[in-house]
Amino acid sequence: MFGPLVCKPGSSRNNKTGPWRTELRPKFLKKACIACNMCLVVCPESCITGQGKNNYDFDPDFCKGCGSCAAVCPKKDIEMVKEDSI
Amino acid sequence: MSKTLFNSGHTACAGCGQSMAARLVIDAAGPNTIIVNNTGCLEVFSTKYPETSWGVPFIHSLFENAAAVASGVESAIKYLGKADEINIIAQAGDGGTADIGLQALSGMLERGHNILYVCYDNEAYMNTGVQRSGLTPFDTNTTTSPVGSISSGNLRPKKPVPEIANAHGIPYVATASAGFPQDLQRKVKKAISIKGPKYIQVHVPCPLGWRHETNLTINVAKLAVETGLYPLIEYENCIISARRQITPKPVEEYLKVQGRFKHLLKKPEEIKKIQDIADNNIKKYGLKVEQQQISPSA
Ligand SMILES: Cc1ncc(C[n+]2csc(CCOP(=O)(O)OP(=O)(O)O)c2C)c(N)n1
Ligand code: SF4
Ligand code: SF4
Ligand code: SF4
Ligand SMILES: [Mg+2]
């Protein structure tokens, strides 16, 4: 009876939220990054990956364009740019 | 994707502080955890049937009873002889905690269950459209504490839920903030290492209900702490063991970036009342940097 109510762990990844972005997306400049990890820590979509300097990036399939990563980057190495400018 | 137990594809609003904090909490707790979640934004945006964002077992209870359901889960796990291997987290919003779920929470604390209760405090009933709760701050504009010619918003200050939890004589109580992610994760790890009931209340900005820009979530959370309006405190065995000390900023800095407080900006007498709340916190908890600390900073 309960079988159909049990969902597969992490299956929300089927639900691509990238199209939620209305105007801006982040651009990881990869010039001054010190690998502090803060962008990854704050991203509400768990969609930033990276390890080591100038290696961090985001997944456009899930990013909602909130701008938190750019706001928190101590090196201003992330910029919010117009969606169609990349 | 970074390795996390809270996955992409959830349906929280862009910049949601609760979704940030929820990931930090579960990743600090680790995979051997069972979550019981009250109704509210977090439950709704993370479990859009037939999908789930969680990488751990997750039970949705009712709006009011995560603490009671978690108590049952804990008892069952004890009976199975697995109490030492599995963490149990009961979690809820501020409405689910301070109002309708307070009785269930009190029972859980009183009975001494080995559970971490996490309250995500976004200071109103957000899932149903920004109604005030017992944790809504004084003078906040919500849909049930509207601003008008004779009203400056919510009439009452925040209910002291951390103190209420502490009064149950439980071993660990803390306040935390999405603006201080490492501090939040440290507190979760510490809580889990302690046996018995634990209560952590996390301040989580809500861009929709607080009406601030989505990229300001971390900033707004930090300002709440740095003005003294949201003191970060830890109690161990009912005594304050640590607090985050601040060089206090004026409360306007916090108020002016949020639409829910916009009506106050032309009312210096109301801002003064809110500054008094901050000043009282600073005095009561010894938040100012010069003052001597009891133990290492939070
Ligand atoms: C008994 C009951 N009353 C009312 C509701 C409707 N309801 C669902 S979520 C919610 C508000 C949740 O507020 P809070 O706990 O602060 O969580 P948030 O959505 O703000 O994260 C309400 C009133 C319900 N589900 N059950
Ligand atoms: S803009 Fe927001 S959602 Fe997109 S990568 Fe940055 S923090 Fe994540
Ligand atoms: S916040 Fe900036 S400096 Fe830190 S890891 Fe991300 S891109 Fe690099
Ligand atoms: S209404 Fe607020 S708490 Fe709810 S998902 Fe949106 S930002 Fe998060
Ligand atoms: Mg709430």
Side-chain angles (χ1 to χ4, degrees):
Chain A
M1 169 192 177
F2 293 109
L5 293 175
V6 177
C7 305
K8 199 167 159 270
S11 50
S12 64
R13 291 184 61 79
N14 295 330
N15 184 39
K16 305 283 185 266
T17 51
W20 288 33
R21 288 194 305 280
T22 50
E23 198 187 355
L24 301 175
R25 61 154 72 195
K27 185 176 176 188
F28 285 67
L29 304 179
K30 306 186 184 178
K31 287 191 179 128
C33 169
I34 52 168
C36 71
N37 216 40
M38 276 308 287
C39 51
L40 186 153
V41 167
V42 304
C43 174
E45 308 312 323
S46 319
C47 79
I48 297 180
T49 44
Q51 233 172 19
K53 294 175 185 173
N54 300 318
N55 171 257
Y56 285 75
D57 218 328
F58 76 109
D59 185 344
D61 278 350
F62 294 108
C63 168
K64 291 175 189 160
C66 72
S68 297
C69 50
V72 86
C73 177
K75 290 293 168 187
K76 303 217 173 342
D77 207 37
I78 307 171
E79 253 174 29
M80 295 306 287
V81 298
K82 280 260 193 288
E83 188 66 40
D84 49 16
S85 70
I86 303 184
Chain B
M1 183 196 62
S2 56
K3 231 185 144 0
T4 176
L5 296 165
F6 185 74
N7 289 274
S8 310
H10 62 73
T11 57
C13 310
C16 172
Q18 189 166 204
S19 64
M20 287 180 188
R23 175 168 48 81
L24 295 166
V25 167
I26 187 57
D27 284 345
N32 291 336
T33 303
I34 297 173
I35 290 181
V36 184
N37 210 137
N38 271 15
T39 310
C41 274
L42 175 57
E43 165 266 320
V44 169
F45 69 61
S46 65
T47 58
K48 180 171 72 70
Y49 187 77
E51 293 159 0
T52 176
S53 296
W54 300 93
V56 295
F58 174 102
I59 305 166
H60 169 218
S61 57
L62 298 170
F63 184 23
E64 62 273 32
N65 65 349
V69 173
S71 300
V73 172
E74 188 246 18
S75 304
I77 277 171
K78 242 192 199 158
Y79 178 76
L80 294 172
K82 294 188 172 175
D84 291 337
E85 301 156 44
I86 301 171
N87 312 313
I88 298 161
I89 294 180
Q91 57 185 25
D94 50 291
T97 301
D99 300 339
I100 194 169
L102 189 63
Q103 175 250 89
L105 171 63
S106 176
M108 179 201 117
L109 302 180
E110 177 214 322
R111 291 187 301 268
H113 293 282
N114 186 24
I115 297 170
L116 167 60
Y117 189 102
V118 182
C119 167
Y120 294 91
D121 182 10
N122 56 18
E123 306 193 316
Y125 295 75
M126 295 310 177
N127 185 51
T128 41
V130 202
Q131 295 84 20
R132 80 166 288 287
S133 81
L135 279 168
T136 300
F138 177 68
D139 266 2
T140 308
N141 189 358
T142 73
T143 52
T144 49
S145 59
V147 168
S149 54
I150 53 164
S151 164
S152 301
N154 189 41
L155 297 170
R156 302 289 305 154
K158 285 173 81 74
K159 193 188 281 196
V161 183
E163 268 110 346
I164 293 170
N166 204 36
H168 288 73
I170 63 174
Y172 187 74
V173 172
T175 51
S177 165
F180 296 88
Q182 288 84 358
D183 178 67
L184 166 59
Q185 291 200 307
R186 181 185 62 76
K187 285 169 177 163
V188 170
K189 286 193 174 131
K190 186 165 179 177
I192 276 180
S193 75
I194 297 169
K195 242 185 139 70
K198 288 84 58 172
Y199 178 81
I200 298 181
Q201 183 173 302
V202 196
H203 200 218
V204 288
C206 163
L208 180 129
W210 298 12
R211 285 180 281 132
H212 62 73
E213 295 297 330
T214 59
N215 65 349
L216 287 185
T217 302
I218 294 286
N219 245 309
V220 168
K222 277 190 167 160
L223 282 169
V225 173
E226 290 164 355
T227 50
L229 287 171
Y230 214 94
L232 297 190
I233 311 284
E234 272 176 293
Y235 298 88
E236 281 174 70
N237 297 315
C238 306
I239 295 166
I240 293 185
S241 59
R243 80 267 280 156
R244 176 172 288 273
Q245 295 200 297
I246 55 172
T247 306
K249 293 182 174 167
V251 294
E252 283 102 312
E253 287 195 32
Y254 175 65
L255 304 176
K256 73 183 180 197
V257 290
Q258 301 175 62
R260 65 175 176 158
F261 296 124
K262 202 172 119 216
H263 59 287
L264 300 174
L265 299 179
K266 288 192 198 96
K267 293 184 176 173
E269 70 289 358
E270 293 302 312
I271 291 184
K272 166 86 178 48
K273 291 181 198 164
I274 295 172
Q275 188 61 58
D276 286 347
I277 293 172
D279 291 346
N280 281 337
N281 284 340
I282 290 164
K283 212 166 112 196
K284 178 171 171 193
Y285 299 110
L287 300 178
K288 233 189 199 149
V289 161
E290 306 87 69
Q291 284 167 340
Q292 219 209 329
Q293 254 183 285
I294 294 178
S295 74
S297 82

